[in-house]
Amino acid sequence: MSDNTKRSQPPWTAPDGCNEPKLRLYNSLTRSKEVFIPQNGKQVKWYSCGPTVYDSSHMGHARSYISFDILRRVLTHYFNYDVLYVMNVTDIDDKIIKRARTNYLLEKYSQEMKCPNEVISSMNEALKLFDTKMAAETSPEKLEMYKKFLSKAQACLENLKLAVKDSKGGDKIRAVMETVIKDGKDPMADWLDLKRGSEVTDKAIYSALTKHFEEEYHKDMASLNVLPADVLTRVSEYVPEVVEFIQKIIDNGFAYEANGSVYFMTSKFDSEEKHSYAKLVPEAFGDEAALKEGEGDLSISQDQLSEKKSANDFALWKAAKPGEPTWDSPWGKGRPGWHIECSVMASCLLGDSMDIHTGGADLKFPHHDNELAQSEAYYGNNHWVRYFLHSGHLTIEGCKMSKSLKNFITIQDALKKYTSRQIRFMFLLHSWKDTMDYSASTMECALQYEKMVNEFFLNVKDILRDLPSKGSEAFQKWGPLEIELDQQFTECKSKVHQGLCDSVDTKAALDAVRTAIGQCNIYIQAKRASKQPFERNILENYASYVTNLLRIFGTIEGDLPIGFPVAGQGQSNVEEAVMPYLKTMASFRETVRQTAKNQKVTEILQLCDDLRDNVLPELGVRLEDREGEKSVVKLVDRETLMKEREMALKQAEEKRLKKEAARRKEEERQAAKEAQRRIPPSEMFKKDVDKYSKFDDKGMPTHDAKGEPISGKQIKKLTKLYQAQEKLYSEYNGGQ
């Protein structure tokens, strides 16, 4: 055989590889995780239900907005999709109309009220109306809330009656009258709205309310580091498009006009072969309570209900009523129904089919099911939304959070207690689609995770400062520790990827990061213990990866390569600028400290400790002394250091009190022992009259408290105690 065959190019075999996990999203339309396939390559058309701006945003809203912000960031910056994110602001709605009206009427009434007896009479009428409202309520939660309102209003009313009877000064009565209006505003608002609501005609009253709370909403989102939408739509800007949309639904045979209102025919739509009503929650079809709530408080009068051909039909256009803002339409003056608003605004921007629609789980039925029905009736298709993603509910200490129940914590209040990063960590540590609880325990988990990650960043940065960053000296030979750590790093990245592919499971991703940080800490400890040099690149890559992942999740702002920003956004070079000075100071202090130790100069040692424990933390600097090693300098948020110092002082005080209590207990024990030594053995049992009734000549008990002779076994025990006391008493008397 000729060797010439060896001189040709040998065949090459491609590796088998492995099955790369694909991104799957939990789709409410199928109630399962589906492979995510956008309709047009990497482009993703996304619509998200935004706020109804009639009150402050609360943590229940944050549940949706932060969750969807995380999903959006991951799809954009991790999976590299080109996302167009559209969100609406609902500024025409029954809740808005009623809130704006009642706020206006309450303020006007408060300004005009003069006579306390008139206020008493008005509140009595309001409470009668409120009693009727309570009698008709079927929700136990709302009924309990109404009882609280009623009790509060009745108490204020009684105070006013007493003030009128007892007070001689008009100023005091005026103050009590204002308290009645403030604390009894819920019953009073309903009464005023019934009596005078139809008189409110100025559109500016409604727009002023929505503008105020929309602006507040945007500030809240910025505080939570939630990215603004690419496109923001307001209902009030799309009324002409709403009218055109409704007209086409009528033309397509799925809607009808009745007394100036327009209703969607659910039965006609559902009877079509290619259509299905209540896609998301089929079992809720015909849920009368949910349907009424979806129509709004101002749209469920008996006259309006009788206009419908079916109880399942819902309003696309609501005919004008006194005291409501109105717009022109072919069916007369009126306003859009709630459900049609999102259909129109989303369709105007995203067309006949979008990739993703998001919203809270409480919107599935009837709001989102109605959106789907009317949009598919308009387009004649059955795929207006490809993937419907719903965020889970948020509870407070296990209880439902709701604006309508007035059981909520505003975002502003939450941010007074926790940072936006800590709140976001809480969400990241839970599945976006499941119910989660906002409580001290869930926030503590978030705080501990943040602390663990931050300490990792600080330790790695401290190590990297002393390692060469350029040239041949920046590379060290990898030993077994580096090889093992790299394998663990690879496993971490794989688990993170698997987690994010699994319907963006951020909890699984963070769990993988937690494990990886623990492994990296073990590597650092092993290197320090063996006095071996660190390998710069592996530590830097590790910390950079975690930083970038957390930046994708929205917990890190700015462009720092490693760690959380300390000095604020836009000042990422502060650490680099001040660290040489801080390290010089730390080195000088350590020299002084060691000299003071050797010469036993306690005053200087105390000054060194004061610099570490009190002066530097005020400047956002943590100094850690390590025996036999150089001190470690870390830049940390001042607020964090203040909390650490407060905790350290608290623990020191607890330790002091515990030590003091132990000392007192020992003193009491010694005193009791000393007192016991002074008792003659003949007297020691005689004080126990509840146990013994007769004694012999030596003072030994012979009969118990009931007069029964003491058993031989008990006599033996008592004899031992007697003999022990004889010894103690003898020692007390000098051994005599």
Side-chain angles (χ1 to χ4, degrees), residues 360-378:
D362 56 320
L363 298 178
K364 285 183 183 179
F365 185 88
H367 183 53
H368 287 157
D369 271 324
N370 288 354
E371 270 189 58
L372 287 167
Q374 63 204 7
S375 300
E376 292 176 0
Y378 177 90

Side-chain angles (χ1 to χ4, degrees), residues 400-423:
K400 179 181 178 182
M401 182 182 290
S402 167
K403 264 190 184 178
S404 61
L405 294 177
K406 300 199 175 181
N407 167 39
F408 61 88
I409 297 172
T410 66
I411 290 171
Q412 295 168 19
D413 286 340
L415 285 170
K416 290 175 184 175
K417 193 170 183 181
Y418 304 106
T419 67
S420 63
R421 181 195 300 156
Q422 291 162 350
I423 291 172

Side-chain angles (χ1 to χ4, degrees), residues 23 114 183 245 293 301 348 394 420 437 503 560 590 620-621 624 633 653 658 684:
L23 171 61
K114 296 177 182 178
D183 291 350
F245 203 92
E293 188 172 350
S301 68
C348 285
L394 186 81
S420 63
D437 192 50
S503 197
L560 277 174
E590 184 59 24
V621 178
E624 297 176 357
V633 182
E653 179 63 11
K658 189 175 181 180
M684 68 177 294

Side-chain angles (χ1 to χ4, degrees), residues 461-492:
K461 286 194 288 186
D462 177 68
I463 293 169
L464 295 180
R465 286 188 201 107
D466 294 330
L467 296 178
S469 60
K470 297 178 182 179
S472 58
E473 292 184 351
F475 298 90
Q476 296 287 336
K477 179 184 177 182
W478 278 25
L481 289 175
E482 283 76 20
I483 293 171
E484 182 182 8
L485 186 62
D486 183 64
Q487 290 172 346
Q488 292 167 341
F489 184 26
T490 300
E491 184 178 351
C492 167

Side-chain angles (χ1 to χ4, degrees), residues 544-555:
S544 296
Y545 172 79
V546 175
T547 300
N548 188 52
L549 185 66
L550 295 184
R551 185 178 289 114
I552 289 171
F553 289 166
T555 59

Side-chain angles (χ1 to χ4, degrees), residues 14-73:
D16 292 335
C18 60
N19 292 325
E20 181 73 9
K22 297 179 180 179
L23 171 61
R24 295 175 182 270
L25 297 176
Y26 185 87
N27 189 355
S28 297
L29 288 165
T30 62
R31 302 189 188 186
S32 61
K33 296 172 185 176
E34 307 289 355
V35 175
F36 180 60
I37 305 173
Q39 298 173 97
N40 186 19
K42 298 293 284 186
Q43 294 179 0
V44 175
K45 296 189 291 185
W46 186 334
Y47 181 83
S48 189
C49 275
T52 300
V53 282
Y54 71 99
D55 205 342
S56 297
S57 297
H58 57 64
M59 287 301 291
H61 298 121
R63 171 61 170 140
S64 292
Y65 301 133
I66 293 178
S67 295
F68 298 145
D69 183 67
I70 293 167
L71 288 174
R72 178 186 175 190
R73 287 171 180 269

